[in-house]
Amino acid sequence: MVEAEVRAKFTRAINMHNLVPGFKIAECGERPDAWEPEDGEYKMKVDAAADQIIPIEFKRDTVALDPFDDRKENFGTSTDTRKMVHGQIISYAEFIIAVQQRVALFMFVVIGQQIRFVRWDRSGALVTRSFNYVENWRFLCEILWRISNCSVTDLGLDPTATQLYPDDADYQRMDADALPNDSDADDTERDLMPEELADDSKYVFTYVREMFAKSLNTTWPRYRVEVPHGTSTRAFLIAKPSFLANGMAGRGTRGYVAVDCESGEFVWLKDTWRAHYIIIDPEGDILQKLNDAKIVNVPTLVCHGDIAKQVTLTPDWWEAKNPPTSDRASSTEGDPSGAPSASTSTSTRTHAHSPSSLKRKRGDEKSGDGAPAPKTDWHDQCTLCHHQHYRLVEKEVARSLVEFKNGRQLLCVVSDCVYAHSKAATNPKTKLLHRDISGGNILILPKVSNEEDGSHFLKWTGILADWEMSKPLQNPLSRPRQPERTGTSQFLSIALLSRPKVVEICDELESFFYVIIYYAVRYLRSNLDGFALRHWINAFFNSVTNDTASIRRKVVAVQLSAFWISYDERLQFNSPMDETSESSPAQRPLPLAAVVPRRRFQKDPRRRYDDLKLSKIKYDSEDAKIVDPLEPTKKDYEYSKYVHKHKHMIHLLDDIAYEREWLSGDRTPDRLLEDCSPPARSEGPTVPASSASNTHNKPKLDRE
């Protein structure tokens, strides 16, 4: 039978004979609904579902369409068609868990007369071996009957999230809160009138309400979710997330513009599955420490906490299936609780996680650097990470960095975040390094600032968010605290990409620098455009971590103090972005020929950047480090002091942003998405930085 026939007969038999009492299985049709045209990636539909709780995927009876292989211990497969179906059901699971508030997801996979069951969580998936449900119909009926006796919590739904419906008061309250209000404030940078925005508790920025309204204009469900607050809980109203992390396995972070049911204010709610290891502090504890130390330009904590005892179970099943060698003969296979397994033995299907030597033990034994080192045993073999469900609420609802208006503002925002980082790293009460500097964690927050003369103005400031990966600057621990590598590979420093090392201030400052370059190339006019621009960004930023070519390109940029798009052409923005500060160190007089071999460049723009290869820089894979015959000079060592502390970079960014003359109109749409070749710049008088798009002067902060 073809897939449609299998689906129709299977659902009809179950519904006709009421094999899942209390549930009804419905077919979902052949094609996805066109209910969200702006989100094309969400146009997907599972074949059938039991009351939107258990999805069912059908395939015709052929081994080639089975996403798992029973002949292999980890159920993996190298067959292309199997891989395709495997990716398909992963995407279904990812989307369902993103839309619904879930702890886990159960799924039926029906291949002709064979069926298998899958349980998904943020650590991976548990998969049963397939069996013939026609020949073993009694066994199938017992499974379905047991499902009907499970609560929705047993079936993976989150009991701390209550779905709202149109006749609920909270649902109607969300509609009312999304309507424009006369008291809403424009967040354009400007000088303010004496009484304008004097009381920040009585207005909402227009962009915040618009973000919330956009989250409601969708068929995504609405929820009232609980967040721990000390010994009690607080309730918040959410709909579609404004931010949604990709991938099934991992933290699965979702960010919402939420309504605080208690105060009625808009807040930012972060729902994630944090790494569940004993010596890793929750992000809320870190934010509280930063807030108590009065660190500026960081989020303000409202409340946070682990959600009940919602942890991923897949790693525990792996451990139950893979006991120590000496115990395997006597162990009970399959069930972590020790119960005998069903006739369909369960196995794990691992996903993308790095090998772990720090698996959380089920007692109170500590692991990771900072505590007694765990023994090297069978836990070291598990590649699945333990995750704990966690929610965090912050006061500020910020803009994304991509919304900056011009190059000067980009530098100002990043400078604010470097300043926040410097205070967090040097304050005796904190002494933290962020360790995940990226464009997604640098946000824009409109703030009202007051001058000594009584005037006040609205300024877009930078806010450094997502401190969950942070770590003490002076960490006495000798081993990593969790198996995953921290940091965003696009913005990692050369040293971190080259070899395992402890993150230092210089690595963080280098990441800030790459953030500036990445967003400047994408959103500011320059002499790099069209296909060459897309190729340059992919080559420089999007290469695989530890890719030797990517590391070499960054080395060239640092050694030459410039970014090269061809043998004799530097990346230029025709703005103060190209300048250096009067107080910054001079460029190292290194001739281009010393690093780039003299060769004729081809006319094909795709070859322009590829031809910038280092003839004298090699990658030693055995030692996992860059071997550079150009030994550091005395000048190099002298210049290194400029990246041991923050003040030099802050002064450089502030000098270029506030003391140089900028032309307006240097911002473009995303140049990766369309060909935005820079037109001839309109001639006209330059304007000082203080009046380019904001009428205030250089910030009067102690940025030492």
Side-chain angles (χ1 to χ4, degrees), residues 158-180:
D158 182 359
T160 67
T162 304
Q163 186 171 349
L164 303 176
Y165 297 93
D167 57 348
D168 292 330
D170 283 335
Y171 190 103
Q172 297 167 10
R173 177 182 181 178
M174 296 175 76
D175 285 335
D177 287 338
L179 297 175

Side-chain angles (χ1 to χ4, degrees), residues 561-574:
S561 302
F563 293 87
W564 296 85
I565 59 179
S566 69
Y567 177 74
D568 55 356
E569 185 179 9
R570 297 189 180 195
L571 174 63
Q572 295 284 331
F573 297 94
N574 297 321

